[in-house]
Amino acid sequence: MKVTVVGAGAVGASCAEYIAIKNFASEVVLLDIKEGYAEGKAMDLMQCASLNGFDTKITGTTGDYSKTTNSDICVITSGIPRKPGMTREELIGINAGIVKTVSSSLIEYSPNTVMIVVSNPMDTMTYLVHKTTDLPKNKIIGMGGALDSARFKYRLAEALDAPISDVDGMVIGGHSDTGMVPLTAHATRNSIKVSEFLSKERLEQVKEDTKVGGATLTKLLGTSAWYAPGAAVSGLVQAIACDQKKMFPCSTLLEGEYDLDDICIGVPVILGRNGIESIVNIELSAAEKTHMQQSAEGVRKTNDLLTL
Ligand SMILES: NC(=O)c1ccc[n+]([C@@H]2O[C@H](COP(=O)([O-])OP(=O)(O)OC[C@H]3O[C@@H](n4cnc5c(N)ncnc54)[C@H](O)[C@@H]3O)[C@@H](O)[C@H]2O)c1
Ligand SMILES: O=C(O)C[C@H](O)C(=O)O
C-alpha cells in the first residue's frame, strides 16, 4: 500500500507520522516544493521508526512526481493555512491554483488513486478536483467532518465531564466557521442521548464551540492546527487502505442526496478500498435540514469564486 502526501508542512508531516505509527502502509512519499523540506521531514520521521516500532518506509522528494507513481492513496495538504482573524474561504485565491496543479500532476502518475483533499477551503477544493480531473466521484474525498466530529466529541466530553471514549457524535455540513452542522440531537453518552444530561443552553454552547474549533486553535497557535487534522486524515487513509467500511462524515459530490446537487459538502459516507463505498442518508430534523441548506449556500458562494 503506497500513500503519497503532498505538502510536507504541519498537517502533511503529522498525517505521515500517524500513518507510519499505525503501521498499515508499506510506503509513504512526502512531496513538497520547498527544496529539501520533504526529504528532511521524511528522514526525521524515519529516525522514529526504531523508537516507535513501525516498518513503513517514508521518503521525501522536492517536486518529483515520478516518485509518487502508482500511489493507492494521495493526500493533498499543500497550500497556505489561515492566520488569526481570517476565514478559511480567504485562502481560495492562492490554494485553488495549488490544488489544481497538484491534483493533475498526481493523477498523471497514479491514474487509479483515491484522492483525499485537505487544503482549505476544503469543500470548494474538493469540488475543484471534481471539476478539473477525470477521477470518478467515489475516489475524491474531502477531509473535514472527521476532524470536526473529533472536536465535537471533545467539547461534549468536556460538558459532560466524561471520558471522550464514552461519547459519540457527528458533524456534517460545510467545513467552515458557520457552515458546520453538529448533530446534537443524535449525540450520545454510552448510547443515551446527551440531552438527558445537558441543558439546551449547554448543548448550544457545545455546538458553537465546535463550529469555531479551527478558529479557536488558530488564535492560540498563530497558524491553524495540525495534530488532530493529521490524525483525522490518517483515519480516513487507514479505512481505505484496510477496506474497513467505516463511517465518517466526508465532503463528497452530492447528486440529489440531502436535497443537494452539484456540490461537495460533508455527509456520512462508508469508506473502503474503493474510496467512498456509499453515501449514508440519515433523517434530519427540520432545523438540521435548514442548517444544512444554509451551509450549502455558503459553500456555493465560495465555489462561485472558482475560475474553472
Ligand atoms: N481540511 C481540514 O480539516 C484542514 C485541517 C488543517 C489544515 N488544513 C489546511 O491544510 C493546508 C496546509 O496546512 P499546514 O498547516 O500544513 O500548512 P503549512 O504551511 O505548514 O504546509 C503547507 C506546505 O505546502 C507546501 N506547498 C505549497 N505549495 C505547494 C505545491 N504547489 N506543491 C507542493 N507543496 C506545496 C508548502 O511548501 C508547505 O510546506 C492549509 O490550506 C490548511 O488550511 C485543512
Ligand atoms: O481552521 C483552519 O483553518 C484549519 C482547519 O480547517 C481546521 O479546522 O483546523
Side-chain angles (χ1 to χ4, degrees):
M1 177 61 53
K2 179 171 176 179
V3 182
T4 285
V5 180
V6 180
V11 177
S14 158
C15 159
E17 182 180 12
Y18 285 118
I19 291 171
I21 284 173
K22 292 177 182 178
N23 211 15
F24 60 84
S26 49
E27 193 180 351
V28 174
V29 179
L30 273 172
L31 184 148
D32 204 285
I33 42 162
K34 234 186 279 175
E35 189 66 44
Y37 197 57
E39 289 88 335
K41 289 275 181 111
M43 193 185 290
D44 194 7
L45 284 169
M46 276 307 281
Q47 291 168 3
C48 299
S50 62
L51 298 164
N52 285 332
F54 62 77
D55 297 315
T56 303
K57 183 182 168 204
I58 308 166
T59 56
T61 171
T62 305
D64 181 358
Y65 279 87
S66 70
K67 300 273 171 59
T68 71
T69 299
N70 288 334
S71 293
D72 299 285
I73 302 169
C74 291
V75 180
I76 303 181
T77 74
S78 46
I80 55 164
R82 64 173 157 167
K83 295 238 177 318
M86 287 174 77
T87 65
R88 296 175 181 89
E89 289 75 11
E90 287 175 65
L91 305 173
I92 190 173
I94 292 177
N95 287 355
I98 294 175
V99 170
K100 194 172 169 182
T101 315
V102 166
S103 55
S104 70
S105 304
L106 285 170
I107 292 167
E108 204 181 317
Y109 288 90
S110 304
N112 300 315
T113 194
V114 173
M115 195 165 280
I116 300 178
V117 182
V118 182
S119 311
N120 275 315
M122 182 278 297
D123 297 290
T124 296
M125 294 302 100
T126 308
Y127 184 73
L128 173 70
V129 174
H130 272 290
K131 288 289 172 192
T132 57
T133 73
D134 289 331
L135 274 187
K137 67 172 200 162
N138 57 301
K139 292 192 164 184
I140 304 173
I141 303 166
M143 194 297 288
L147 171 64
D148 302 332
S149 300
R151 289 179 176 153
F152 184 36
K153 286 179 247 188
Y154 164 80
R155 288 299 185 187
L156 281 168
E158 179 185 60
L160 290 160
D161 193 19
I164 294 182
S165 56
D166 263 14
V167 172
D168 202 8
M170 188 164 57
V171 177
I172 61 171
H175 180 62
S176 70
D177 297 341
T178 52
M180 287 177 212
V181 185
L183 297 176
T184 44
H186 297 260
T188 58
R189 177 181 185 175
N190 294 84
S191 75
I192 300 162
K193 290 195 167 171
V194 292
S195 53
E196 299 269 333
F197 307 108
L198 298 173
S199 67
K200 252 189 174 166
E201 294 70 29
R202 188 67 185 91
L203 262 176
E204 199 51 39
Q205 187 62 50
V206 165
K207 197 171 169 177
E208 290 313 310
D209 288 345
T210 300
K211 285 162 65 181
V212 295
T216 303
L217 285 162
T218 303
K219 194 170 168 201
L220 290 168
L221 297 166
T223 183
S224 57
W226 57 90
Y227 292 118
V233 177
S234 77
L236 267 53
V237 171
Q238 186 174 22
I240 298 161
C242 304
D243 198 23
Q244 287 177 324
K245 310 281 198 290
K246 271 179 85 118
M247 192 194 296
F248 289 95
C250 291
S251 191
T252 183
L253 185 73
L254 298 184
E255 293 172 306
E257 301 91 346
Y258 291 86
D259 292 327
L260 293 168
D261 191 42
D262 191 33
I263 187 168
C264 291
I265 195 165
V267 295
V269 302
I270 303 298
L271 289 186
R273 192 61 198 89
N274 299 306
I276 294 179
E277 303 279 343
S278 60
I279 292 173
V280 181
N281 264 301
I282 53 170
E283 195 54 47
L284 299 180
S285 67
E288 287 162 346
K289 272 185 198 163
T290 305
H291 194 175
M292 192 68 176
Q293 291 295 331
Q294 288 166 344
S295 178
E297 274 169 38
V299 174
R300 281 193 206 286
K301 264 194 200 149
T302 313
N303 290 353
D304 287 344
L305 300 173
L306 289 171
T307 40
L308 293 168

